[in-house]
Amino acid sequence: MNSPPVPLAPDVVEGRPQRLTVIVLLTALVLLVTWILTGVDFPLPEGAWHAREAAFRMASDPPQTALTVTLPHNWNRRPQSQETGVYRFLLPADLAARSGNLAVFVPRFTGRIELRVDGTRIAGDLGFSSAQPPARNTSLLATVPDALLASTPVEMTVLLASPGYLSGYLETVYVGAEQPLRRAHEQRTLLFFLLPGAIAIVNLALGALLFLFWFQQKTDDGSGLLALSLTLGAVYTLATVPNTLTFSPSVYRALHGLPLLEVALAVLAIARHLGVRMPKASMLILLPGTAAVVTGLVSDDFTMAVLMLVPGALLAGLCMLVGAVLSARAYVVDHNETGLVFSLALTVLGALAAHDIMVLGDILSDRRILLVRLYTPLFSIAVGGIVALRLVRALAAAELFARQLKQRVEEAEAALRASFQRERHHLRASALMEERARLMRDLHDGVGGQLVSIVSLARQKDQDAAAIGEAARTALQDLRLVVDAMDDIQGDLMLVLATWRDRMEGRLRAGNVALDWKIDTQPGLPILDDLRPSHVLNILRILDEAVTNALKHSAAGTVRVRLQTVTVPDGKAFGRIAVEDDGDGGASVSSTGRGLGNMQERAARIGARLTVASDASGTRVQLDLPAVLPGGTVLPP
């Protein structure tokens, strides 16, 4: 049972006169513009000689019956299945004497064509059964061989074959330099070959998109019918563009019935999309197009042409008129702006279709150009607008929901962020206090033990003062390392290394050793978010041990420290610290001393990799820090 119609709002009813005025004025405007466009010719080459007159006869008539005609020329159809007209004219003497890059350009003609120079064929498709439609917006460009220009006068012949159901037509023939003529030929190729193909591909894409909408929603809004209409139109366009697809004559005739189906499907789709209630009998509108396709499969060219030019053209025009009226009514009565777009698009296409029918019917015999397929983008734009509107409407609700959800999430995130900040501050403070307490215990165990040893040494009367001083300096150095490590450096290891550099530079200078400090990559080492005091202390002790070994054992004159950030192929980055000297070498982890072994153990505790290379040119200690530091454990000095 159908639900009662929903009454329209008062403002919608009151606005009907204004909308009626708008659509009448716009329809009149687009019809005027369309009429102007049908009278605009495409640019023709300037400066080239063109044939104004030619001797014309039918191929079946004797040569003496030739008549002088003025180009462009149109001859009436005859009942035969195919007629061939013969045009002959002489090239001017100065033009015939030119050698090199001479070309012939025929802007427009119907049927199949052949160009001859002094009886020699130079171009054309006459005699080829695979040639494409007889009524086509096409052009021909041919280069004239120099050998054919050797003798004068030069006679040029144009043979034009046209089927009996269509009159023959030849526009002016241009002869001249090849380059400007080729530009004109390429322009027409773009307009009548490439552009229709591109439009067909766009229509296929739009049809596929509409079909997906219909398949997902399963609603009877005409999306499936409109998708089928666009697909049939694209198939017809690709099939009738010359030199694209080749079919048997029967299939080719059947394809010419597709426009009737295309228009009928479009009207049904528009009615359903606009909410117009159509009776079930409206599906009978598909019968003429179906009958045309079947007739093309079983009939001949003449029967198919008569069927499409008379009842077919009238039915197509009637369908377009019905679609335009329904669309206009939807805009005026229901204020459906989509109806306005459809009404104007169908009005333009209907006017262009009427123009093309008059051209094929010899009513406009001097306008041998077909426009409806050239301006089909209007309908594609209208369909694209529908698709975009559907997307906008579908996304509008989702966007509203997303904004509301985002607002609530942002509020929750703000509360959580404040809570996390407080918790993070407490955790960081707690972690620092724990790390500092651990360092203080290590300081008590390490430096405290060293101080006890110093006191014991000082009490021994025969103990060397230099040894006591060295032990005191070692304890003081370790104390400084612990103090440096306890600073909160926010993960920036470069801050503590700057202090370490100043201290090491003084030690090396006292030992007559130069310090060469270099940062290979800016800003040096990456920020380590999980850097804790225990990590810093282990790193400083490793570096301190490396410099101490260089001072004590290598007899080096220079110690070089290199800092850099290394990026690996997977995009991750880690810090690298290298300590090199120019001493005697000989350092080894497997040696009897414990210094290098302790350095390796400390590196392992913080997840770093320590490599030692030593030869006669010196020793290199390289520490590669991990991108993520583990929970480090401080080892005693």
Side-chain angles (χ1 to χ4, degrees):
M1 182 176 180
N2 295 331
S3 58
V6 179
L8 296 175
D11 57 337
V12 175
V13 177
E14 293 175 1
R16 287 180 180 178
Q18 292 85 348
R19 292 193 294 275
L20 179 60
T21 303
V22 168
I23 198 167
V24 169
L25 292 177
L26 287 178
T27 302
L29 178 62
V30 298
L31 286 175
L32 176 63
V33 173
T34 303
W35 179 78
I36 294 174
L37 290 175
T38 59
V40 175
D41 205 348
F42 293 93
L44 293 171
E46 299 180 358
W49 178 85
H50 57 278
R52 300 181 184 276
E53 294 182 346
F56 172 77
R57 67 178 179 86
M58 304 305 295
S60 56
D61 297 337
Q64 59 269 22
T65 62
L67 300 174
T68 300
V69 297
T70 301
L71 299 180
H73 177 251
N74 183 82
W75 81 78
N76 294 329
R77 65 176 67 87
R78 296 188 180 185
Q80 290 87 348
S81 60
Q82 179 170 297
E83 285 289 340
T84 301
V86 181
Y87 296 85
R88 296 178 183 273
F89 52 87
L90 298 177
L91 296 183
D94 58 339
L95 190 64
R98 181 188 301 179
S99 61
N101 296 326
L102 190 66
V104 182
F105 174 61
V106 185
R108 195 160 54 234
F109 54 90
T110 56
R112 303 184 180 99
I113 192 172
E114 181 174 294
L115 292 180
R116 296 178 182 176
V117 175
D118 283 345
T120 302
R121 177 184 178 277
I122 63 172
D125 56 10
L126 191 65
F128 293 92
S129 59
S130 61
Q132 286 287 354
R136 56 184 177 182
N137 302 326
T138 188
S139 62
L140 177 68
L141 180 71
T143 303
V144 181
D146 292 345
L148 299 179
L149 302 174
S151 61
T152 57
V154 177
E155 182 184 67
M156 182 168 292
T157 306
V158 179
L159 283 77
L160 204 63
S162 182
Y165 57 83
L166 194 68
S167 61
Y169 177 82
L170 178 66
E171 197 172 278
T172 306
V173 180
Y174 290 81
V175 182
E178 180 180 1
Q179 192 60 33
L181 297 180
R182 182 169 297 280
R183 283 196 298 268
H185 176 67
E186 290 174 350
Q187 289 175 355
R188 291 176 178 258
T189 300
L190 174 64
L191 289 172
F192 300 120
F193 287 9
L194 301 181
L195 183 59
I199 294 170
I201 294 173
V202 171
N203 283 350
L204 284 175
L206 290 174
L209 188 57
L210 286 172
F211 179 79
L212 288 177
F213 284 153
W214 171 81
F215 182 77
Q216 291 178 356
Q217 297 179 2
K218 299 294 186 182
T219 57
D220 191 19
D221 61 354
S223 297
L225 293 173
L226 194 54
L228 184 58
S229 173
L230 290 174
T231 302
L232 292 180
V235 171
Y236 175 77
T237 300
L238 291 175
T240 53
V241 172
N243 304 320
T244 54
L245 302 175
T246 302
F247 304 95
S248 64
S250 60
V251 173
Y252 186 74
R253 286 192 298 268
L255 289 173
H256 275 71
L258 292 182
L260 287 179
L261 273 177
E262 176 189 0
V263 174
L265 287 168
V267 171
L268 291 175
I270 289 171
R272 295 190 179 186
H273 181 81
L274 297 176
V276 178
R277 295 181 179 179
M278 301 286 287
K280 293 183 179 180
S282 61
M283 298 300 293
L284 295 176
I285 197 175
L286 301 175
L287 286 181
T290 305
V293 173
V294 175
T295 302
L297 292 173
V298 298
S299 67
D300 55 20
D301 291 346
F302 182 80
T303 303
M304 188 64 183
V306 172
L307 176 66
M308 293 302 298
L309 285 174
V310 184
L314 293 177
L315 289 172
L318 181 61
C319 287
M320 290 184 184
L321 178 61
V322 170
V325 171
L326 291 177
S327 302
R329 182 184 181 279
Y331 172 69
V332 174
V333 177
D334 302 330
H335 198 191
N336 190 329
E337 296 180 354
T338 304
L340 176 62
V341 176
F342 272 136
S343 177
L344 296 179
L346 287 173
T347 298
V348 174
L349 291 180
L352 295 175
H355 168 271
D356 292 354
I357 292 171
M358 288 189 288
V359 167
L360 295 175
D362 285 339
I363 299 174
L364 298 175
S365 58
D366 60 336
R367 296 288 302 156
R368 303 300 297 192
I369 184 169
L370 306 180
L371 298 175
V372 68
R373 287 292 163 181
L374 185 61
Y375 290 94
T376 303
L378 291 171
F379 193 72
S380 299
I381 292 172
V383 175
I386 293 175
V387 175
L389 183 61
R390 291 174 61 86
L391 284 174
V392 169
R393 288 176 177 175
L395 294 175
E399 185 178 357
L400 178 60
F401 175 76
R403 284 200 302 266
Q404 295 174 348
L405 182 61
K406 181 181 179 181
Q407 182 178 359
R408 295 178 182 177
V409 170
E410 286 178 350
E411 293 173 355
E413 283 183 348
L416 288 174
R417 194 177 299 112
S419 176
F420 287 158
Q421 280 295 111
R422 292 191 297 269
E423 187 66 22
R424 183 178 179 182
H425 178 74
H426 293 324
L427 289 176
R428 182 175 182 84
S430 177
L432 285 175
M433 290 298 294
E434 182 180 348
E435 285 286 323
R436 287 168 178 167
R438 183 188 306 172
L439 290 180
M440 292 302 295
R441 291 194 298 270
D442 293 333
L443 181 62
H444 177 271
D445 296 339
V447 178
Q450 291 178 350
L451 292 176
V452 171
S453 299
I454 293 172
V455 172
S456 177
L457 289 174
R459 290 176 177 176
Q460 298 176 13
K461 295 181 179 180
D462 56 347
Q463 187 61 259
D464 187 5
I468 297 175
E470 181 63 26
R473 280 191 297 271
T474 302
L476 180 59
Q477 178 182 341
D478 196 60
L479 179 61
R480 287 173 175 172
L481 291 178
V482 173
V483 172
D484 291 343
M486 292 178 68
D487 289 338
D488 186 6
I489 57 176
Q490 301 293 323
D492 190 355
L493 194 58
M494 295 295 293
L495 295 177
V496 72
L497 288 180
T499 304
W500 180 82
R501 171 189 178 181
D502 292 338
R503 189 168 59 253
M504 286 301 103
E505 194 167 18
R507 286 185 60 194
L508 292 172
R509 190 184 305 112
N512 294 322
V513 178
L515 175 62
D516 180 9
W517 183 280
K518 184 177 181 182
I519 299 176
D520 292 334
T521 58
Q522 294 296 332
L525 301 176
I527 299 297
L528 300 172
D529 294 332
D530 50 356
L531 185 67
R532 299 205 301 269
S534 60
H535 300 130
V536 176
L537 185 55
N538 277 316
I539 293 171
L540 293 179
R541 282 179 173 170
I542 292 171
L543 300 179
D544 220 53
E545 185 70 25
V547 174
T548 300
N549 289 339
L551 277 171
K552 289 183 177 181
H553 308 298
S554 67
T558 302
V559 172
R560 292 180 293 274
V561 178
R562 299 289 182 264
L563 306 175
Q564 68 178 125
T565 296
V566 180
T567 303
V568 294
D570 61 359
K572 295 181 180 179
F574 63 89
R576 172 174 290 170
I577 307 173
V579 179
E580 306 173 0
D581 64 61
D582 56 359
D584 300 333
S588 174
V589 177
S590 60
S591 63
T592 56
R594 296 184 57 191
L596 293 178
N598 288 338
M599 292 166 64
Q600 286 282 16
E601 191 172 352
R602 291 190 184 99
R605 292 286 183 176
I606 62 173
R609 183 177 63 179
L610 183 72
T611 56
V612 179
S614 186
D615 54 28
S617 62
T619 301
R620 174 184 174 87
V621 178
Q622 178 175 298
L623 180 65
D624 290 338
L625 302 174
V628 178
L629 291 165
T633 300
V634 180
L635 294 180

